[in-house]
Amino acid sequence: MGSRHRDILSMFEVGPCETPHQMGFLIGRRFSRLIQSRLSRDLILRNQLLPWARAPESRPLLEALCDHNRNKFPRYWDELVGKAEGADVPVLDKLLINFRKEILPFIPDKETKSNSPEEAIECSDVLVVGELMAVAVHNEDANVALVGHTYLVKGTLSNGLCFISYNYAGELPSCAFGFNNNGMGFTLNAVPPSKEEILAGGIGRNFISRDLLEAMSMTDATKASVGHSYNLIDLKARRIRNLETASRTRLSVNEVDETPFIHANMYLHLQVKQVEDENSISRQKRAAVLPKNSKQDFLLLLGDTDDAKYPIYMTGPTLYTLCTASLKGIRRKE
């Protein structure tokens, strides 16, 4: 994993803990400065999410999101609350940034919205499984508010499971990528379903990806509120699947083989109405024509800046590539 930013990426080892709340509290306390800084600088939170949450009309959606996710994943809910307490920040702020993708489509257009950077279209992946290599190479792209506000967590649970995750300050591990000692890993790509495809008040993507960190085997990610693209990696079996999901438990699975599979931020095989995004389309087209014969080619592809308007490797002013990660499967024995 590498980065072109000068900030040192910190890793915090935590656990086993008596409760999920304690784990969240310890993570929040360790990274309280970063979490507080991110919340104070995040214009999407300050200019869109918080004003919306303070209005009476926000209550039905916010309550539905809280009820459904707390009931489905009570341990992760307690972890999130503990993190807010450890970082000494309002629980509401933490909820809003963790549910931001489930909320933003339902915020009416307002004058303040034009003063905030648009929600980022994030991440690019190259995936391949063949006799010579099984590898997933991933660019983690995000809004400028996340630059300098990320860290690694190595968490150990009481049952012996251990995971390592890349984290956005204040959010559940991990809305980006991670892996565990069961040999399971994942990377994520945002996708842009149109508004009529979105289920209000469903399960949040941050809670689903937190659950993936504890996966024992290939896991289907369903019942999402908005939709997402999951690259599930079985490091021991050398298998990679791309799952595209949408609300109402819609799911399409693509088994990756020796032909390199490229995913930016558009649905490729699940039939869903989506917002056409020039940035994603441009990156997908550019990646298609670049060499893809080795891991080094994949890294060069994800570092490509040939397109000045929509480079694969993003350097601002709004969107940045925070880091590049590579997850490699174990080579088969002869």
Side-chain angles (χ1 to χ4, degrees), residues 215-234:
M216 302 290 290
S217 60
M218 287 286 188
T219 304
D220 288 348
T222 60
K223 299 184 180 178
S225 176
V226 181
H228 216 38
S229 173
Y230 300 86
N231 304 306
L232 304 182
I233 306 154
D234 188 328

Side-chain angles (χ1 to χ4, degrees), residues 8-36:
I8 297 175
L9 191 61
S10 299
M11 175 183 279
F12 179 52
E13 297 189 26
V14 59
C17 296
E18 294 182 2
T19 65
H21 183 279
Q22 183 187 35
M23 175 174 279
F25 183 89
L26 293 173
I27 295 172
R29 186 174 64 182
R30 169 62 178 81
F31 294 107
S32 59
R33 182 187 62 81
L34 283 184
I35 294 171
Q36 293 169 9

Side-chain angles (χ1 to χ4, degrees), residues 280-297:
S280 298
I281 294 171
S282 175
R283 283 182 283 132
Q284 193 85 29
K285 289 181 177 179
R286 174 62 179 163
V289 302
L290 291 173
K292 293 175 285 293
N293 299 312
S294 66
K295 181 180 174 181
Q296 183 64 24
D297 285 345

Side-chain angles (χ1 to χ4, degrees), residues 121-123 189-193 229 242 244 261-270 272-284:
I121 298 297
E122 305 132 328
C123 306
N189 307 93
V191 286
S229 173
N242 173 255
E244 292 183 344
F261 181 79
I262 303 162
H263 206 293
N265 300 103
M266 302 291 292
Y267 284 105
L268 298 179
H269 47 92
L270 181 62
V272 173
K273 293 181 181 179
Q274 60 182 318
V275 179
E276 295 294 319
D277 178 69
E278 291 185 12
N279 187 328
S280 298
I281 294 171
S282 175
R283 283 182 283 132
Q284 193 85 29

Side-chain angles (χ1 to χ4, degrees), residues 189-262:
N189 307 93
V191 286
S194 58
K195 187 172 181 179
E196 62 265 31
E197 298 282 2
I198 298 172
L199 175 67
I203 300 300
R205 288 180 287 187
N206 279 16
F207 282 82
I208 293 172
S209 59
R210 173 63 184 85
D211 195 46
L212 289 178
L213 284 171
E214 300 187 21
M216 302 290 290
S217 60
M218 287 286 188
T219 304
D220 288 348
T222 60
K223 299 184 180 178
S225 176
V226 181
H228 216 38
S229 173
Y230 300 86
N231 304 306
L232 304 182
I233 306 154
D234 188 328
L235 298 170
K236 295 179 180 178
R238 299 177 82 255
R239 294 182 65 192
I240 301 176
R241 287 178 174 174
N242 173 255
L243 277 65
E244 292 183 344
T245 69
S247 60
R248 296 180 286 277
T249 67
R250 288 171 292 175
L251 172 72
S252 177
V253 180
N254 179 70
E255 189 83 25
V256 176
D257 56 23
E258 65 273 7
T259 301
F261 181 79
I262 303 162

Side-chain angles (χ1 to χ4, degrees), residues 99-264:
F99 288 135
R100 69 191 187 280
K101 291 183 180 293
E102 288 73 30
I103 292 173
L104 285 171
F106 298 98
I107 297 181
D109 290 333
K110 295 182 179 179
E111 183 177 350
T112 55
K113 197 167 183 178
S114 64
N115 295 328
S116 298
E118 295 182 4
E119 180 71 350
I121 298 297
E122 305 132 328
C123 306
S124 301
D125 278 78
V126 184
L127 317 169
V128 67
V129 177
E131 288 297 326
L132 297 179
M133 60 179 168
V135 64
V137 186
H138 171 84
N139 270 2
E140 184 61 30
D141 306 323
N143 187 277
V144 62
L146 275 303
V147 175
H149 294 90
T150 61
Y151 48 82
L152 294 170
V153 168
K154 181 179 181 181
T156 301
L157 306 184
S158 57
N159 62 4
L161 184 140
C162 177
F163 64 80
I164 293 178
S165 63
Y166 183 85
N167 302 265
Y168 292 175
E171 299 189 40
L172 284 169
S174 162
C175 62
F177 58 86
F179 58 92
N180 63 33
N181 59 351
N182 290 325
M184 299 302 302
F186 66 86
T187 67
L188 306 177
N189 307 93
V191 286
S194 58
K195 187 172 181 179
E196 62 265 31
E197 298 282 2
I198 298 172
L199 175 67
I203 300 300
R205 288 180 287 187
N206 279 16
F207 282 82
I208 293 172
S209 59
R210 173 63 184 85
D211 195 46
L212 289 178
L213 284 171
E214 300 187 21
M216 302 290 290
S217 60
M218 287 286 188
T219 304
D220 288 348
T222 60
K223 299 184 180 178
S225 176
V226 181
H228 216 38
S229 173
Y230 300 86
N231 304 306
L232 304 182
I233 306 154
D234 188 328
L235 298 170
K236 295 179 180 178
R238 299 177 82 255
R239 294 182 65 192
I240 301 176
R241 287 178 174 174
N242 173 255
L243 277 65
E244 292 183 344
T245 69
S247 60
R248 296 180 286 277
T249 67
R250 288 171 292 175
L251 172 72
S252 177
V253 180
N254 179 70
E255 189 83 25
V256 176
D257 56 23
E258 65 273 7
T259 301
F261 181 79
I262 303 162
H263 206 293

